Amino acid sequence: MNLLLLGSGGREHAFAWKLTQSQHCKQLFVAPGNAGTAQIANNIPLNPNDFESIGQFCVKQQIDMVIVGPEEPLVRGIYDFFLENKDLHNIPVIGPSKQGAQLEGSKAFAKKFMADYNIPTAAYQEFTLENLEEGYQFIDQQATPIVLKADGLAAGKGVLILDDRQEAKQALKEMLEGKFGAASNKVVIEEFLDGIEFSVFVLTDGNSYKILPVAKDYKRIGEGDTGLNTGGMGAVSPVPFLDDKLMEKVISNVVEPTIKGLQDRKIAYKGFVFIGLIRVDGEPMVIEYNCRMGDPETEVVLPRLKSDLLGLFDAVAKGTLEEQSIEIDEQAACTVMLVSGGYPEAYEKGKEISGIKEVSDSLVFQAGTAEKEGAIVTNGGRVIALTSYGTDFKAALELSYKNAAIINFEGKNYRKDIGFDL
Ligand code: AMP
Ligand code: GLY
């Protein structure tokens, strides 16, 4: 098959790594890709949100399947664009329809969906500028801290957790007045949940589903989960505290009703549901849905998947996922993100990266990298994810940390405490 993968991060390098291992993969194109995907696939300089150009490319190159990495093209409706175009409707897109992507694209949609299907999540209300006063009253009635969420996509920055009610009111007003652009025209205020977070990844063809390896990521820039939020500084899989009993609850209370809810609403969904969960008093509760895989979670989930990913995608496209089985590696995997100095705030690009070739016992998934005059240079905040296997996450981490010291670029930073809370 000829495949087109959309995206340019470590997640997409991991997808490319896994897909090119399939005997059914004839050619893999990545739009736009990075210096890592360039080594194993063909990068093409197309914007994943430019559906017209993506469509033309698919016709010209006889693409058999499109796999969507990031959320934005999904929320903008790439699935529907292909389905509604006579030249493209036979090319399956792995990812949900525009309506399905609302699980991530609108917090208000996701909260209502969970309420309708009795899926455990924090109590909430939604507000716009029209009922700002009610918002203030609601804040007065809430215990602190107060959780404010921009309804729409805000590049991972749309959630504020504030200890002070006055600050929360101020923040609500600023959000509704456009702090995150149109994404915060509506704001969800919800109950603060106290517990430990983990993530579950579900692949569905809309009827049946498979559960992929679970993971836990580390979002804050600073050790001990302090400082600003990032896209993710590291991840581990499996999650030691996620025992069979908790997993059974996740499946029966969250996964099953989610898939049934999508069916019930006749929402086309052929892709990933990434469920961000928190354990509160032994019970799983949903923090958020994403309509795609996580980054850097993909860099630990796919290395533990023994089954042929392309075979699974083909079954998703054909609606025969039920007939597939999935095999998971018993070993643990962890990943450590090397990031640019200053990230997640301002940082410089174009720093030469050395040492990649010297790494032999970790997988090097490149994220913000580019080729420049024969060298690989930094081209983003998150630069390289170093993934290792081990008998447990500690053994795996030891390898990643050994190799984190071998790869160098000016300003290199990484968290030295991934897994500290496990
Ligand atoms: P989200 O974008 O919804 O995943 O939120 C980003 C982060 O904010 C989550 O990973 C949590 O750490 C935190 N968070 C979101 N909602 C809540 C909540 N209701 N209670 C506690 N923490 C939350
Ligand atoms: N690592 C979190 C995310 O991909 O949303």
Side-chain angles (χ1 to χ4, degrees):
M1 292 171 78
N2 294 328
L3 309 175
L4 173 62
L5 169 65
L6 304 182
S8 61
R11 167 180 55 208
E12 285 73 24
H13 191 184
F15 268 124
W17 167 82
K18 185 71 182 163
L19 288 168
T20 50
Q21 290 169 32
S22 173
Q23 56 171 4
H24 305 294
C25 176
K26 196 167 121 206
Q27 274 198 96
L28 173 65
F29 297 92
V30 190
N34 58 37
T37 61
Q39 290 167 357
I40 54 176
N42 305 299
N43 283 357
I44 50 160
L46 289 179
N47 178 342
N49 297 316
D50 178 359
F51 299 167
E52 288 289 345
S53 303
I54 297 280
Q56 282 162 17
F57 178 85
C58 288
V59 171
K60 194 168 125 235
Q61 293 291 336
Q62 302 183 335
I63 295 296
D64 299 300
M65 180 185 284
V66 177
I67 299 127
V68 186
E71 62 279 10
E72 204 181 328
L74 295 165
V75 173
R76 287 169 177 248
I78 193 166
Y79 178 95
D80 311 69
F81 178 86
F82 270 64
L83 203 63
E84 288 157 12
N85 185 305
K86 68 174 175 23
D87 297 324
L88 304 173
H89 73 269
N90 287 326
I91 305 174
V93 172
I94 302 300
S97 61
K98 186 171 184 170
Q99 207 192 356
Q102 288 293 295
L103 281 183
E104 175 165 4
S106 166
K107 302 274 188 204
F109 176 93
K111 295 298 285 191
K112 176 79 170 53
F113 180 90
M114 287 186 264
D116 288 350
Y117 296 100
N118 246 326
I119 296 166
T121 188
Y124 82 107
Q125 271 192 40
E126 52 183 85
F127 299 95
T128 61
L129 266 185
E130 268 88 77
N131 59 352
L132 180 61
E133 284 302 322
E134 283 170 46
Y136 291 158
Q137 285 163 21
F138 187 71
I139 288 174
D140 280 331
Q141 293 153 10
Q142 294 301 298
T144 52
I146 312 272
V147 183
L148 302 170
K149 299 186 172 186
D151 178 53
L153 291 186
K157 298 191 174 74
V159 176
L160 299 180
I161 300 180
L162 299 167
D163 285 317
D164 182 272
R165 289 199 182 82
Q166 226 30 59
E167 268 179 50
K169 288 180 192 172
Q170 182 63 27
L172 173 65
K173 184 161 182 287
E174 284 171 15
M175 287 170 89
L176 292 174
E177 285 173 350
K179 183 178 168 123
F180 300 104
S184 62
N185 284 350
K186 197 187 278 176
V187 170
V188 163
I189 304 184
E190 68 178 35
E191 166 198 13
F192 178 81
L193 299 174
D194 198 9
I196 190 160
E197 290 180 52
F198 59 100
S199 301
V200 169
F201 304 91
V202 180
L203 179 65
T204 182
D205 62 2
N207 297 309
S208 167
Y209 69 86
K210 301 287 170 197
I211 305 227
L212 301 171
V214 296
K216 179 169 193 337
D217 84 330
Y218 292 81
K219 284 201 183 77
R220 304 292 198 92
I221 186 71
E223 268 136 41
D225 283 345
T226 55
L228 293 173
N229 254 324
T230 71
M233 297 293 291
V236 301
S237 176
V239 180
F241 65 80
L242 185 47
D243 55 20
D244 289 349
K245 198 164 152 223
L246 183 57
M247 196 61 201
E248 275 166 30
K249 288 182 186 171
V250 170
I251 291 173
S252 59
N253 301 354
V254 178
V255 177
E256 295 270 351
T258 299
I259 301 298
K260 284 213 180 76
L262 293 169
Q263 286 169 343
D264 179 53
R265 296 256 177 105
K266 302 198 166 38
I267 296 176
Y269 208 115
K270 289 174 176 287
F272 295 101
V273 193
F274 160 0
I275 312 174
L277 294 142
I278 186 163
R279 185 188 64 183
V280 181
D281 299 329
E283 298 296 320
M285 297 184 77
V286 178
I287 290 270
E288 65 164 350
Y289 286 112
N290 295 301
C291 62
R292 46 149 181 108
M293 282 298 290
D295 191 355
E297 292 90 334
T298 306
E299 291 94 303
V300 294
V301 169
L302 293 185
R304 294 191 61 227
L305 180 69
K306 284 184 166 173
S307 316
D308 176 18
L309 183 62
L310 187 48
L312 290 172
F313 284 166
D314 198 38
V316 165
K318 294 187 170 116
T320 57
L321 190 60
E322 194 169 12
E323 296 160 19
Q324 298 282 317
S325 60
I326 81 161
E327 219 189 320
I328 294 172
D329 196 324
E330 292 280 305
Q331 292 182 96
C334 78
T335 198
V336 173
M337 260 297 170
L338 309 184
V339 305
S340 296
Y343 173 81
E345 296 184 277
Y347 57 85
E348 289 177 16
K349 293 183 183 177
K351 309 292 180 195
E352 187 164 338
I353 305 168
S354 64
I356 292 178
K357 288 207 177 87
E358 276 118 80
V359 174
S360 59
D361 45 10
S362 290
L363 296 162
V364 181
F365 293 125
Q366 297 187 31
T369 65
E371 276 176 45
K372 195 176 155 201
E373 293 153 15
I376 295 179
V377 300
T378 64
N379 192 41
R382 295 190 294 169
V383 178
I384 281 174
L386 278 168
T387 297
S388 314
Y389 294 100
T391 47
D392 59 21
F393 78 90
K394 286 185 184 146
L397 274 168
E398 227 169 273
L399 279 177
S400 287
Y401 282 129
K402 182 192 83 173
N403 290 318
I406 292 176
I407 294 184
N408 269 311
F409 53 89
E410 194 189 313
K412 176 183 76 174
N413 182 27
Y414 57 96
R415 265 181 71 167
K416 321 249 174 345
D417 70 337
I418 300 304
F420 78 99
D421 54 348
L422 297 177

